[in-house]
Amino acid sequence: MKNNILFCITIISVFSFNIYSQKAKIAAADKKYDSYAYVDAIKTYERVAEKGYKSEELFKKLGNAYYFNAKLEDAAKWYGELFDMTTDLEPEYYYRYSSSLRSIGENDKANEMMAKFNQSSGNDSRAKLFEKNRNYLEEIKENSGRYEIEDAGVNSQYSDYGTAIYSDKIVFASARDTGSLVHRLHSWTNQPFTNLYVADLGEEMILGKPNKFDKNIKTKFNESTPAFTKDGNTMYFTRNNYLDGKKGKDGNEVTLVKIYKATLENESWTKLTELPFNSDNYSTAHPALSPDEKTLYFASDMPGAIGRSDLFKVQINEDGSFGIPENLGRTINTEGRESFPFVNDENEIYFTSDGHPGLGGFDVFVAKINTDGTFNKVQNVGADVNSPKDDFAYWIDTKSRKGFFSSNREGGQGYDDIYKFLEIRRLTCEQELYGEVTDIATKELLPDTKISLFDSRFTLMGTTNSDQKGMYSFPVECGETYYVRAQKPEYTAKEEKITIAKENGKTNLPIALEKEECKVAIGDDLGKCFGITMIYFDFDKSDIRMEAALDLEKILDVLNQYPNMKLDIRSHTDSRGSFKYNEALSDRRAKSTINWLIKNGVNKNRLQGKGYGEYQLVNKCSDGVECTEDEHQLNRRSEFLITDL
């Protein structure tokens, strides 16, 4: 296709609470056992940070906590501290910091952060697509060899293209005989204007002799790309801006194209009207109906288009009126040209594009339409249908896997030709992302949790709520990376990153949420509220390191909030080394921890503790038993057991 008659405008693990409740094994019952302390970890982190403690992980947790709760001003503060420490961060932090900065009016800095976020792919979506799909030729190769293709049998020396099925017939556009003694040539193509032709559709897609479609549709200008309702009584089609003998022009005196509607009455097409969203100042073309016939898809360069032509959709109301056209968005549309949509009964949209990575000219692409109207990954259908020339107007019957497409490839009979095909191998790699949402402490299922799915650039792909069994699921693209965000009242929002397998199947991503407030009672380990499993010391030392002081500041903050709280501080080692050495070292470390808290204002009567060496192992890893480093790590732990509230 050249210029053209075809209308080629055509969380966050924020706190790792790991709350668990241990039954206090105390002989005498005490009413205090029924009292609890509620620890607000976010506020504790803030107070620790305000004292001057700096940690990349600390600032990430604070920034994320506020970002996921839409408190962007606070998020900007803590992300700022994070970026002051380091810029060697995951890309998502540039994105989140940019959003947070924009909320407080720091647009220049927000733009700087967003530019860095976009640095790897550029700002033009076509550059992003290329960067994201550097191996696209290999992908096209994998998608090839799936079709048997042959001439459709209705082609002429002129342009023949665009097919629609209607009452066991095929209807297409052709520039062959216009019925005039002199063929009027289109100035863009030096071809005659196109009219609609019809041919019988026999078994095995064998086509009969073409005939003119209907004299009421035919004009001296272009008609093309019809779409029919299933009852055969309504047709939408493309025509130059010409109705009732009147030709419309835009401000540059150019006659563009519009979508028209016609009704079948007494075996003749009548009541020709243009659709209400048409305009003399932009083009609309190539209509396609959704399987339920409630949505009309089309191509246009109307205001709101991203590129030279985009795909849009519009709702068809029960009374026959139309809604407001919606752009299909950047998953489908690029700064280039997208056109010739076709939607099948498997919720797939096929379309033509020169903006997505292809073999040259226009290629045919396909994407799955999700239930919420979003789209999965766009895929090139392969080198059988696609060529270095223009390939477009794809149509397939999902039952027989037979169909038609148009192309101006080498070896054809005319300017554009119609080809028929048999798809012998399906393209789709289908994956389902699913998981169970639970309370991290109680393992209780959490129904009605809001789950949001984002792509690798944080574009929202869809939302759902976990069901009564705490389960959620999304259809996703093979090989892609996603972010899954879970949000529920009284719980800290959490975001997980997941890369989907490249083969058909399911990918499981369970999500465990933490209560916003850590509920602790006598007998519980206060350290679990903050993910403190170990107070770290230098090798063979008992001096408090900076990392240890940061964790102890969190314990100190809670003790200051609850002046009646008392702790039993215990230090443990793994089994490597002698009993005597491990016991002595762990005891020195327990006492160093206690002394640090006393030095920072805690009454010594509120603290007790000792080292237990390797006497209280939590697993099999005793002397002589072979264990992994991770298994040994479970035994090297610090505990802050609450003995009184």
Side-chain angles (χ1 to χ4, degrees), residues 577-593:
S578 69
F579 283 101
K580 185 177 181 180
Y581 172 83
N582 286 335
E583 183 178 10
L585 178 62
S586 64
D587 195 61
R588 290 198 305 274
R589 289 178 172 179
K591 286 180 169 52
S592 291
T593 301

Side-chain angles (χ1 to χ4, degrees), residues 373-384:
T374 58
F375 301 92
N376 284 359
K377 178 183 176 182
V378 171
Q379 297 188 77
N380 188 298
V381 301
D384 312 293

Side-chain angles (χ1 to χ4, degrees), residues 433-604:
L433 174 61
Y434 75 100
E436 184 180 70
V437 188
T438 58
D439 183 301
I440 197 170
T442 66
K443 311 304 179 185
E444 175 188 359
L445 299 175
L446 296 180
D448 203 31
T449 302
K450 181 182 178 182
I451 309 294
S452 302
L453 179 72
F454 299 85
D455 68 9
S456 59
R457 299 189 64 78
F458 292 95
T459 301
L460 179 64
M461 305 301 292
T463 60
T464 188
N465 281 47
S466 58
D467 63 19
Q468 290 304 305
K469 296 182 179 179
M471 297 298 296
Y472 74 91
S473 69
F474 291 101
V476 290
E477 289 293 326
C478 300
E480 294 298 306
T481 296
Y482 295 92
Y483 293 88
V484 181
R485 187 179 300 167
Q487 295 168 288
K488 189 174 180 64
E490 298 182 4
Y491 284 85
T492 299
K494 189 172 187 177
E495 187 175 270
E496 299 278 9
K497 183 178 181 181
I498 184 74
T499 298
I500 307 301
K502 293 185 177 181
E503 62 273 355
N504 286 313
K506 296 183 177 183
T507 300
N508 184 27
L509 179 63
I511 301 176
L513 294 183
E514 304 158 340
K515 284 280 192 180
E516 286 183 343
E517 290 185 325
C518 180
K519 180 181 177 182
V520 292
I522 292 175
D524 288 344
D525 182 357
L526 179 60
K528 297 299 182 183
C529 280
F530 305 101
I532 302 172
T533 57
M534 181 82 176
I535 295 296
Y536 288 93
F537 298 84
D538 287 328
F539 177 72
D540 204 28
K541 303 280 186 178
S542 56
D543 299 327
I544 299 295
R545 287 170 44 178
M546 177 57 72
E547 296 94 324
L550 176 57
D551 280 337
L552 290 177
E553 278 286 356
K554 302 167 190 175
I555 302 297
L556 175 64
D557 184 81
V558 177
L559 288 171
N560 289 336
Q561 292 178 64
Y562 295 92
N564 294 323
M565 181 182 287
K566 295 182 179 180
L567 298 180
D568 179 9
I569 298 170
R570 303 178 178 186
S571 177
H572 304 268
T573 70
D574 60 37
S575 62
R576 292 173 292 186
S578 69
F579 283 101
K580 185 177 181 180
Y581 172 83
N582 286 335
E583 183 178 10
L585 178 62
S586 64
D587 195 61
R588 290 198 305 274
R589 289 178 172 179
K591 286 180 169 52
S592 291
T593 301
I594 292 171
N595 290 336
W596 187 95
L597 291 169
I598 293 172
K599 182 180 178 181
N600 284 275
V602 179
N603 191 305
K604 64 181 180 179

Side-chain angles (χ1 to χ4, degrees), residues 37-301:
Y38 292 89
V39 178
D40 189 332
I42 297 177
K43 295 301 181 184
T44 291
Y45 283 135
E46 277 195 309
R47 287 188 286 265
V48 169
E50 296 289 2
K51 284 189 173 183
Y53 286 89
K54 296 181 183 293
S55 155
E56 182 178 326
E57 196 63 28
L58 179 67
F59 293 142
K60 281 182 178 180
K61 288 176 178 177
L62 281 168
N64 288 343
Y66 286 114
Y67 181 83
F68 291 128
N69 284 291
K71 297 179 179 179
L72 299 184
E73 183 176 353
D74 292 310
K77 171 185 176 180
W78 296 114
Y79 284 144
E81 294 282 357
L82 174 64
F83 275 82
D84 285 344
M85 281 195 70
T86 179
T87 56
D88 184 19
L89 295 162
E90 299 90 335
E92 55 260 38
Y93 285 96
Y94 284 92
Y95 180 91
R96 294 172 191 163
Y97 190 27
S98 174
S99 299
S100 303
L101 287 167
R102 204 171 302 284
S103 74
I104 58 175
E106 294 190 23
N107 291 318
D108 289 343
K109 195 167 184 179
N111 292 338
E112 178 188 343
M113 292 296 111
M114 187 58 70
K116 291 180 178 179
F117 177 71
N118 286 329
Q119 208 166 38
S120 63
S121 58
N123 292 317
D124 188 297
S125 64
R126 290 168 292 184
K128 295 175 185 176
L129 286 167
F130 176 78
E131 185 70 25
K132 186 177 179 181
N133 298 281
R134 284 186 173 273
N135 296 321
Y136 75 91
L137 289 176
E138 286 299 316
E139 293 182 12
I140 293 175
K141 184 178 179 181
E142 291 178 5
N143 295 345
S144 301
R146 302 187 304 108
Y147 293 93
E148 295 176 355
I149 295 173
E150 59 181 300
D151 186 284
V154 292
N155 294 309
S156 69
Q157 61 179 311
Y158 299 101
S159 181
D160 303 284
Y161 68 91
T163 53
I165 306 304
Y166 159 67
S167 187
D168 296 325
K169 300 178 186 296
I170 184 173
V171 183
F172 62 96
S174 178
R176 66 188 70 192
D177 179 25
T178 62
S180 304
L181 293 176
V182 178
H183 288 186
R184 299 176 64 253
L185 301 182
H186 195 293
S187 60
W188 292 356
T189 62
N190 201 35
Q191 285 271 305
F193 287 86
T194 59
N195 297 127
L196 295 181
Y197 282 75
V198 61
D200 290 333
L201 183 62
E203 295 182 3
E204 302 301 320
M205 296 287 186
I206 296 176
L207 303 182
K209 180 182 177 181
N211 295 296
K212 294 175 183 176
F213 178 64
D214 188 287
K215 64 180 181 180
N216 293 331
I217 301 298
K218 179 181 180 299
T219 66
K220 58 184 179 181
F221 295 103
N222 289 310
E223 285 85 33
S224 68
T225 54
F228 298 89
T229 55
K230 294 172 185 175
D231 62 12
N233 293 327
T234 303
M235 173 177 66
Y236 301 92
F237 66 99
T238 307
R239 177 195 279 175
N240 281 111
N241 187 356
Y242 183 81
L243 185 63
D244 298 330
K246 298 179 181 179
K247 182 170 66 171
K249 296 182 179 180
D250 69 4
N252 296 318
E253 295 297 306
V254 176
T255 298
L256 302 175
V257 292
K258 293 183 175 182
I259 299 174
Y260 295 85
K261 178 182 177 181
T263 303
L264 184 66
E265 293 183 357
N266 299 320
E267 298 185 355
S268 183
W269 290 97
T270 62
K271 298 181 180 178
L272 272 68
T273 58
E274 66 169 275
L275 299 192
F277 48 83
N278 287 334
S279 171
D280 291 343
N281 297 312
Y282 56 77
S283 290
T284 56
H286 311 316
L289 283 165
S290 62
D292 63 8
E293 300 183 353
K294 295 180 179 180
T295 305
L296 186 74
Y297 294 82
F298 62 96
S300 179
D301 59 348

Side-chain angles (χ1 to χ4, degrees), residues 628-643:
T628 65
E629 185 59 36
D630 287 340
E631 288 173 319
H632 283 302
Q633 177 63 60
L634 292 175
N635 291 313
R636 297 195 303 273
R637 66 197 190 278
S638 298
E639 296 174 316
F640 299 84
L641 301 184
I642 299 170
T643 59

